[in-house]
């Protein structure tokens, strides 16, 4: 079974999809949504809790990119980041990571703004750090 929504989907409670789900616009889930096979979201997805997946794949084809340049000074950029431990205010869970406002001062391209509960918050796109990590390792090998 495939569920297709051509515009936006906003799940306020719980949803259980037995097959695939395709959303042409944006997806917002404030409860829980279980999808047995696949999820495709055309624009953006917002999830208030955990997202558990066996695989997350990001498009990286050269044909989708322009202004391609090798990252330089990666070590200095990474050294400027502060890794922290913290407790989430919402549920008290312990976590570790970066503070988005601090990351934005060093790597503004990996920080995004998002809306939740009428407020604008910042988030770190952690997968965007991979390029800096790889280039930093290469700088260590060369240096």
């Amino acid at each position: 079974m495939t569920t297709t929504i051509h515009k936006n989907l906003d799940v306020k409670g719980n949803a259980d999809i037995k097959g695939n789900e395709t959303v042409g616009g944006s997806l917002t889930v404030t409860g829980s949504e279980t999808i047995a096979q696949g999820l495709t979201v055309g624009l953006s997805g917002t999830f208030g809790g955990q997202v558990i997946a066996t695989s997350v794949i990001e498009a990286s084809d050269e044909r989708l990119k322009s202004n391609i340049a090798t990252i330089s000074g990666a070590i200095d950029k990474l050294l400027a980041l502060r890794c922290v431990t913290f407790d989430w205010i919402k549920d008290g869970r312990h976590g570790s990571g970066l503070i988005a406002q601090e990351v934005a001062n060093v790597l503004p391209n990996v920080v995004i703004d998002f809306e939740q509960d009428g407020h604008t918050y910042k988030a770190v796109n952690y997968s965007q750090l991979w390029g800096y990590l790889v280039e930093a390792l290469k700088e260590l090998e060369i240096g």
Side-chain angles (χ1 to χ4, degrees), residues 22 49 69 112 122 143:
T22 301
I112 63 164
K122 295 192 176 301

Side-chain angles (χ1 to χ4, degrees), residues 54 80 105 131 134:
T54 57
N105 292 329
V134 169

